[in-house]
Amino acid sequence: MIRVLLTNHVLSGALIGAVVRRPVPAFAAGVASHFVLDAVPHWGDWGSIRRFLQVAVPDGLISLAAMGTLTALAPAERRPAVLAGMIGAALPDVDKPAKLWFGRSPWPRAVDEFHIRIQPEASGRAHIELLAAGAFGAAALAALGRRPVRSAGPR
């Protein structure tokens, strides 16, 4: 089974960008959403770096594919906001590959400690991640398909 971690952040970021429609607020809301989602009980508790990588590598590839697909599907006028929302939502987790490859996080220690402290992870919650991915993906696609509301003013 493929497990999702970063993918849920990317999908929620796409939804945020589709709804917010402006890149800077979408980016900021994406970053905030990352910490909100991390505070919800979710799947984790890897036990080893090897086990983490068995999940993280496919998840990272799925996340990149989702980013490319949702960016391509977004109407041109909303594309920057969708991309900004996804980048903002994924950005806080750059600490994981940075620690693995470079031995340190790019974030201040207080941010890393907060990020770790808020995450209630357990091994039996993969189904929650999959349900969340389905919901975020469907909501993002629905939001991207909606046309902007136009004012009823004179034409």
Side-chain angles (χ1 to χ4, degrees):
M1 177 191 312
I2 294 175
R3 279 102 176 173
V4 291
L5 304 167
L6 186 61
T7 303
N8 282 335
H9 292 298
V10 167
L11 295 173
S12 66
L15 173 59
I16 289 166
V19 172
V20 172
R21 301 179 188 219
R22 292 190 348 258
V24 173
F27 178 83
V31 171
S33 78
H34 183 99
F35 295 106
V36 170
L37 289 180
D38 275 358
V40 174
H42 59 283
W43 187 56
D45 194 22
W46 309 110
S48 72
I49 290 177
R50 183 173 181 259
R51 176 74 175 124
F52 171 73
L53 290 175
Q54 288 176 332
V55 175
V57 170
D59 177 58
L61 295 172
I62 291 167
S63 296
L64 287 172
M67 287 181 88
T69 301
L70 291 165
T71 301
L73 290 174
E77 69 277 0
R78 284 196 258 167
R79 200 167 290 144
V82 169
L83 189 55
M86 291 187 292
I87 291 169
L91 191 62
D93 274 347
V94 80
D95 64 330
K96 289 156 185 70
K99 287 176 187 174
L100 181 67
W101 295 330
F102 306 112
R104 62 181 302 272
S105 169
W107 310 126
R109 191 162 148 193
V111 172
D112 285 338
E113 289 172 357
F114 170 76
H115 198 181
I116 290 167
R117 192 172 54 248
I118 65 167
Q119 296 189 59
E121 296 179 335
S123 60
R125 298 178 179 154
H127 64 288
I128 295 171
E129 297 283 344
L130 292 172
L131 288 171
F136 285 133
L141 289 172
L144 287 173
R146 286 194 332 225
R147 296 279 179 226
V149 178
R150 296 183 184 236
S151 67
R155 295 186 185 234

